[in-house]
Every structure is written in C-alpha cells, then in structure tokens.
Amino acid sequence: MDKFLLVGLGNPGEKYQENRHNIGFKIADALSIKYNAYFETMKYGDITSFKIKGRSIWLLKPSTFMNLSGNAVRYYLLKHNIKLCNLLIFSDDLHLPFGKIRVKGKGADGGHNGHKDIIEKLSTSSYPRLRFGVGSNFKTGEQSKYVLSDWSEKEIIKLNNFIELAVDAISNFCILGLDSTMSKFN
C-alpha cells in the first residue's frame, strides 16, 4: 500500500494565519476539510491522516516555524516509513504570479528558508514540491515584510479558487503520481 506525507509550510500562531507565507497551512486546511480529517497536535506539529483511493495519507502542518521545517518532515518520513518520492511539500513562492502553481520533483530552495532547512535535514533536494505563487509586489529589500503580510482584499476574492486548484493537484499527485500532476497542472 502506498503511503504519502503531505506537508504544508507556514508559521504557527494566530498573527501569521492570513500571511502569504502561510499558504501551505491554508492548503493543508482545505485538504483536511475535503477529506473530512481533523488535525491533532503531536510532536513537531499538527497532523492528521486519511485515505485517498486506498492510499494512506499523513497531512502535516509543522509547528517548528517555517525556517525549521526540516526536523518535522524528517521525523514523520521516518516514523511512517514513507519513501521520499511520496513526500509532497507545498509552500509559497515569490517567483510565481499570484495563484499560479508549479509542481516539481526536485530543485533548489529558491531562496525559501523552509525548503532550505528541509534540504539540509534530508540531505537532498530531490523531493516533490508544489509551489504556490504569491507574487512579488514588493520593493527591493522588503521580501520578508511582503511574505509576512496579509493577503489584499483583491487577492482574498480569488484565493479560495486557487487553493482548490492546489488541492486538486495534491490529490492527483497521490492518485496518479508526479509526472501526471506536472503535465496536468503546470
């Protein structure tokens, strides 16, 4: 039986809840609603499990803060004996326009500190990821301020439709695999 670890990156706490940087948590919440799964607070984060077409899924929102996500990812990969190819990390990306998603099987951290820590803790950058575009509407040197700011009213209007697209892509990944998901959603 195939087992998967799906990880939405974000920062814990109410003050970060609506930040662009927390899109991974928003997508994880949407997945949990779609599959009628409820998070429990456990070691390194909030986790739940469910099935998609007979596949066992663990869905994680790390509580380690974005820049230290690697320990949580490594812990649950080892705990549930999940193959690296069945890991999917979803996070924000400044290099993509707002709402655009990109699925890849490997890659550099792209300046994203969550991915940087995961790559360091796993000793590889060869793991699947879904990047969610948050745009780049910020002045030079204000990248951190931008990703830690809340969505604009204009963005909020479209956000749920884009999150649904990401949820569909993640479900497709679990059912049909990486190649199918890349060709269908990129």
Side-chain angles (χ1 to χ4, degrees), residues 56-104:
S56 295
I57 311 296
W58 280 270
L59 176 60
L60 173 66
K61 297 190 305 184
S63 60
T64 53
F65 284 91
M66 178 73 75
N67 299 354
L68 301 172
S69 300
N71 284 332
V73 171
R74 184 179 62 207
Y75 176 81
Y76 284 102
L77 276 175
L78 295 171
K79 178 178 175 146
H80 296 295
N81 195 26
I82 296 171
K83 296 180 277 187
L84 205 54
C85 64
N86 287 352
L87 167 67
L88 182 66
I89 307 289
F90 31 104
S91 63
D92 61 303
D93 193 301
L94 289 167
H95 306 294
L96 293 174
F98 169 63
K100 179 131 177 104
I101 63 171
R102 178 76 31 93
V103 180
K104 293 175 66 178

Side-chain angles (χ1 to χ4, degrees), residues 84 105-109 118-120 122-129:
L84 205 54
K106 61 183 178 180
D109 61 47
I118 292 167
I119 290 167
E120 181 183 306
L122 297 182
S123 299
T124 184
S125 63
S126 294
Y127 60 84
R129 62 204 64 195

Side-chain angles (χ1 to χ4, degrees), residues 15 66 82-83 120 129 147 150 153 159 178 185:
K15 80 176 197 174
M66 178 73 75
I82 296 171
K83 296 180 277 187
E120 181 183 306
R129 62 204 64 195
V147 295
D150 289 352
E153 286 182 29
L159 192 58
L178 179 64
F185 290 90

Side-chain angles (χ1 to χ4, degrees), residues 9-186:
L9 298 186
N11 287 313
E14 204 171 305
K15 80 176 197 174
Y16 299 108
Q17 199 169 356
E18 297 303 321
N19 289 181
R20 289 175 177 83
H21 218 23
N22 269 36
I23 191 62
F25 280 10
K26 283 208 165 298
I27 295 168
D29 289 340
L31 273 163
S32 72
I33 291 167
K34 178 175 181 161
Y35 292 102
N36 204 24
Y38 303 93
F39 285 102
E40 277 186 80
T41 300
M42 306 289 278
K43 184 172 184 172
Y44 289 123
D46 293 342
I47 192 157
T48 187
S49 63
F50 52 92
K51 299 230 186 256
I52 299 177
K53 301 252 183 186
R55 290 148 181 88
S56 295
I57 311 296
W58 280 270
L59 176 60
L60 173 66
K61 297 190 305 184
S63 60
T64 53
F65 284 91
M66 178 73 75
N67 299 354
L68 301 172
S69 300
N71 284 332
V73 171
R74 184 179 62 207
Y75 176 81
Y76 284 102
L77 276 175
L78 295 171
K79 178 178 175 146
H80 296 295
N81 195 26
I82 296 171
K83 296 180 277 187
L84 205 54
C85 64
N86 287 352
L87 167 67
L88 182 66
I89 307 289
F90 31 104
S91 63
D92 61 303
D93 193 301
L94 289 167
H95 306 294
L96 293 174
F98 169 63
K100 179 131 177 104
I101 63 171
R102 178 76 31 93
V103 180
K104 293 175 66 178
K106 61 183 178 180
D109 61 47
H112 193 285
N113 289 328
H115 283 288
K116 182 178 182 181
D117 191 61
I118 292 167
I119 290 167
E120 181 183 306
K121 297 298 188 302
L122 297 182
S123 299
T124 184
S125 63
S126 294
Y127 60 84
R129 62 204 64 195
L130 180 148
R131 298 167 23 216
F132 186 102
V134 295
S136 57
N137 190 16
F138 57 90
K139 294 176 185 164
T140 304
E142 293 189 2
Q143 175 177 331
S144 293
K145 184 178 174 184
Y146 178 74
V147 295
L148 291 173
S149 67
D150 289 352
W151 301 101
S152 70
E153 286 182 29
K154 191 174 173 183
E155 289 169 328
I156 288 171
I157 293 168
K158 299 177 181 178
L159 192 58
N160 284 338
N161 289 336
F162 293 141
I163 289 172
E164 280 181 39
L165 180 66
V167 166
D168 289 346
I170 293 164
S171 299
N172 192 90
F173 170 80
C174 295
I175 298 165
L176 297 174
L178 179 64
D179 290 339
S180 166
T181 306
M182 288 192 302
S183 64
K184 184 174 181 181
F185 290 90
N186 284 355

